[in-house]
Amino acid sequence: MPISPAASPCLDSISVNAARALAEALQTIDIKLPSMRGEGEVNGKAFVHLGGCAADEAFALAHWIRDHQ
């Protein structure tokens, strides 16, 4: 997915707010994705880069998702 070189300020703001909202939601279940960030625009849509995390965080998130389906 190519990142647009000229992301609009509106989509940048949406990306940052979406990343913040997801980080806050994950914090309620003690999960942290330390390199998650709003990334501007990809293919005309606001984009959040989830980044990387420790394996124990990935396992915890996977278990939480499975338990809450």
Side-chain angles (χ1 to χ4, degrees), residues 5-45:
S8 74
C10 182
L11 290 179
D12 283 344
S13 178
I14 292 169
S15 296
V16 169
N17 288 334
R20 184 178 302 125
L22 181 56
E24 289 171 358
L26 289 171
Q27 186 177 25
T28 67
I29 58 169
D30 297 320
I31 302 287
K32 183 175 183 181
L33 302 179
S35 56
M36 182 173 55
R37 64 190 180 278
E39 188 80 6
E41 178 182 339
V42 173
N43 296 328
K45 294 184 178 184

